[in-house]
Amino acid sequence: MINKHKNQKGFTLVELLVVIAIIGILATLLLVQLGVARSRARDAKRIADVNQVRTAIELSFDDLGQYPQVATFVLLGPILVPKYLTQLPSDPLGPVGVYDYNYANNGITMFHVWAELEQKAVGALKSDSDINSTTWATGERISGLLETCVSKTVVDCVYDQGQI
């Protein structure tokens, strides 16, 4: 009888537990990387949206001779849609959240459109305008948006475009 059990082939419980642990670790690493990839994809959409809105604002300026005189990004909709944009872009995470799109203007010849990114995107941040609107005189709506990427609790990693 003893010899019969020794000839049986199969995995021991310890071997199975080791394999399951390794698979669990690899799955965890994969899920973490998928989260980072999703975050970067949302940031890429934000950058493309800001550039698209800037182009539409510039086209509007060519036609009207002034930048839109509205207080918020949402109010750009009636001015830019449908002539310059098919629809006003919205943030990939939803209509209202931490990473909303923003717009400000100061006079008829200056504007600033920006979005906060989730991660530091070195290539994108080097190609934006880095507008510091603290020098705006009356009607200042922004306080020097620059990308420092310090924490998620303050405005950081801002991708901005505009005309000042």
Side-chain angles (χ1 to χ4, degrees):
M1 281 281 192
I2 296 174
N3 289 337
K4 184 177 180 185
H5 291 288
K6 287 184 179 180
N7 290 335
Q8 286 183 343
K9 295 183 180 180
F11 296 107
T12 65
L13 182 60
V14 172
E15 290 171 333
L16 288 173
L17 290 176
V18 167
V19 169
I20 290 171
I22 291 172
I23 291 172
I25 291 169
L26 292 174
T28 302
L29 293 174
L30 178 66
L31 289 176
V32 168
Q33 290 304 314
L34 284 176
V36 170
R38 287 183 184 149
S39 174
R40 288 185 181 170
R42 287 189 297 267
D43 282 347
K45 183 184 182 315
R46 288 181 185 105
I47 291 168
D49 287 347
V50 167
N51 286 329
Q52 183 181 25
V53 169
R54 179 185 185 197
T55 301
I57 291 170
E58 294 290 354
L59 290 171
S60 168
F61 179 83
D62 289 344
D63 288 346
L64 304 174
Q66 67 179 20
Y67 291 114
Q69 302 296 300
V70 296
T72 65
F73 184 81
V74 175
L75 294 176
L76 286 172
I79 297 169
L80 302 179
V81 177
K83 187 171 184 180
Y84 307 106
L85 292 170
T86 56
Q87 68 179 22
L88 197 64
S90 62
D91 191 76
L93 286 177
V96 178
V98 176
Y99 303 103
D100 290 337
Y101 298 122
N102 300 285
Y103 173 81
N105 66 76
N106 186 6
I108 61 174
T109 60
M110 294 186 287
F111 81 95
H112 191 171
V113 62
W114 74 96
E116 183 177 357
L117 304 179
E118 294 178 52
Q119 296 188 351
K120 185 172 186 173
V122 177
L125 295 177
K126 287 183 180 175
S127 66
D128 68 352
S129 296
D130 284 337
I131 295 172
N132 187 343
S133 59
T134 55
T135 59
W136 284 10
T138 58
E140 181 179 340
R141 294 184 180 92
I142 317 164
S143 58
L145 296 173
L146 298 173
E147 58 272 355
T148 56
C149 300
V150 177
S151 73
K152 297 287 184 204
T153 58
V154 297
V155 176
D156 57 354
C157 296
V158 173
Y159 183 84
D160 58 345
Q161 294 289 322
Q163 183 70 37
I164 58 173

